[in-house]
Amino acid sequence: MQFKQVEAFRAIILTGSMTAAARELHTSQPNISRLIAQLERHTGFALFTRIAGRLAPTPEARAFFRDVERAFVGLQDIKASANNIRKQGTGHLRIAAVPSIALTIMPNVLKVFAQKFPKTRVSLYVGDSGTVAQWVASSYCDVGISAYVDEMPGMNSERIDTLQGVCVVYKDHALARVNRAVKIKDFRGESFISLHSGDGTRRNIDALFGSYEEDYRTMYYECRYAVAICNMVGLGMGISIVNPLVAKNCKHMGIVVKPLEPQVAFSYFILSSTIHVTSTLALEMHSILREELQRHK
């Protein structure tokens, strides 16, 4: 028994004639007649009789049609499911992001995403770059956004943007009133609030100061999160170098944002699993993230 035979049978029942069924299925009436004859041989009973010149289903055909219709309803559900998956992926997207993304542009990214996929469930997980990488490599999360990348099995990485770090100072600090970029020697004698040792971005900042004859920083405080660092700066506890996205979102904390010279890079990477094919939802999230980062430059 072939699908085309059953499809022709169903079309005749619904339209009332072989001619109308042929139009419905974009084929010829003789082809419909042939398919019904084949189906009758497979089933072992007659499907139609002619009464007063009109085609009428037999009692066996009516009983058979009930099961055929249930099968077609199920098939339509399968088609609808496939269509939804094609348009919206699996329907649940898990995103892992470092705090400098999760606490700044990610709400806007999710808003744009929700406008395109209003019925998709999204879970946002926040962690440092190493944790984000582990979540993606293990397929716990579908998309990762990290600030630096260490080699890890099961994970692909792609640099999506590089921003230039800025100096943040207390609003009443002397450097806040200087009409120029802050230079490395300006840090002499200043309390510098640093990211934790081992952080990839911290390594870039340390390398910048290490390129001079002396390290001009005096470090009493270390903190994992740049938002907390900006808050500490706003309380007059020291100055720092942070991601410009974070600095922009923390101006209400009483800080002044100054350009830095020479510059230090703050990069972002999109992470994906090498084990699973990237879903439609994940690819859309990649695109929105790129656009949002460009918009904030």
Side-chain angles (χ1 to χ4, degrees), residues 20 22 25 37 44 55 92 99 106 108 114-115 118 130 134 136 157 167 170 172 191 193 195 213 231 254 261 280 293:
L25 299 179
L55 203 62
H92 185 194
M106 187 53 72
N108 287 333
Q115 291 169 347
Q134 290 174 357
V136 172
S157 65
C167 177
Y170 178 55
D172 292 332
S191 175
I193 306 172
L195 292 165
E213 293 181 358
N231 201 356
E261 189 179 301
T280 302
L293 279 168

Side-chain angles (χ1 to χ4, degrees), residues 255-294:
I255 64 172
V256 173
V257 181
K258 305 288 293 182
L260 181 69
E261 189 179 301
Q263 296 177 333
V264 58
F266 284 73
S267 296
Y268 284 116
F269 301 82
I270 280 187
L271 311 182
S272 58
S273 171
T274 59
I275 301 172
H276 300 291
V277 176
T278 304
S279 69
T280 302
L281 291 175
L283 291 174
E284 186 66 28
M285 181 57 68
H286 291 185
S287 176
I288 297 172
L289 270 166
R290 287 186 175 91
E291 291 173 4
E292 193 66 21
L293 279 168
Q294 288 298 315

Side-chain angles (χ1 to χ4, degrees), residues 33-108:
S33 180
R34 178 179 58 82
L35 290 170
I36 294 302
Q38 292 172 349
L39 184 59
E40 287 180 327
R41 287 196 296 272
H42 281 296
T43 60
F45 51 79
L47 295 171
F48 298 97
T49 59
R50 288 197 174 271
I51 301 175
R54 294 178 62 85
L55 203 62
T58 64
E60 292 83 1
R62 292 187 182 281
F64 183 50
F65 177 74
R66 288 194 290 270
D67 288 332
V68 167
E69 192 61 12
R70 280 197 294 269
F72 267 80
V73 169
L75 182 60
Q76 289 169 353
D77 288 342
I78 292 172
K79 287 181 178 178
S81 175
N83 186 52
N84 286 336
I85 290 172
R86 182 178 69 252
K87 291 182 177 179
Q88 302 187 15
T90 61
H92 185 194
L93 184 66
R94 297 175 179 84
I95 307 167
V98 290
S100 59
I101 287 288
L103 301 178
T104 57
I105 69 168
M106 187 53 72
N108 287 333

Side-chain angles (χ1 to χ4, degrees), residues 114-295:
Q115 291 169 347
K116 295 186 176 183
F117 303 97
K119 296 183 179 180
T120 299
R121 188 157 59 99
V122 178
S123 299
L124 175 61
Y125 301 88
V126 183
D128 59 30
S129 291
T131 302
V132 168
Q134 290 174 357
W135 283 335
V136 172
S138 65
S139 297
Y140 181 69
C141 289
D142 306 296
V143 182
I145 307 99
S146 69
Y148 63 91
V149 177
D150 291 326
E151 292 296 325
M152 182 175 292
M155 187 191 72
N156 283 326
S157 65
E158 177 189 354
R159 188 192 303 267
I160 56 171
D161 210 346
T162 298
L163 309 176
Q164 300 305 325
V166 293
C167 177
V168 288
V169 300
Y170 178 55
K171 63 181 181 179
D172 292 332
H173 194 282
L175 289 173
R177 298 186 292 273
V178 174
N179 190 26
R180 59 172 174 79
V182 174
K183 301 184 181 297
I184 296 302
K185 290 186 178 181
D186 291 326
F187 288 86
R188 179 183 279 116
E190 298 288 347
S191 175
F192 185 86
I193 306 172
S194 177
L195 292 165
H196 272 188
S197 57
D199 184 284
T201 306
R202 159 80 181 261
R203 290 197 292 266
N204 292 341
I205 296 172
D206 287 349
L208 175 64
F209 282 92
S211 65
Y212 289 77
E213 293 181 358
E214 63 175 293
D215 190 335
Y216 297 104
R217 299 171 296 177
T218 301
M219 290 190 287
Y220 297 110
Y221 305 107
E222 290 186 356
C223 183
R224 185 180 299 275
Y225 301 114
V227 171
I229 289 175
C230 287
N231 201 356
M232 295 166 72
V233 170
L235 293 174
M237 298 172 64
I239 66 176
S240 190
I241 296 171
V242 298
N243 186 304
L245 288 179
V246 177
K248 181 179 179 181
N249 280 265
C250 291
K251 287 184 177 180
H252 64 283
M253 295 179 175
I255 64 172
V256 173
V257 181
K258 305 288 293 182
L260 181 69
E261 189 179 301
Q263 296 177 333
V264 58
F266 284 73
S267 296
Y268 284 116
F269 301 82
I270 280 187
L271 311 182
S272 58
S273 171
T274 59
I275 301 172
H276 300 291
V277 176
T278 304
S279 69
T280 302
L281 291 175
L283 291 174
E284 186 66 28
M285 181 57 68
H286 291 185
S287 176
I288 297 172
L289 270 166
R290 287 186 175 91
E291 291 173 4
E292 193 66 21
L293 279 168
Q294 288 298 315
R295 195 173 70 83

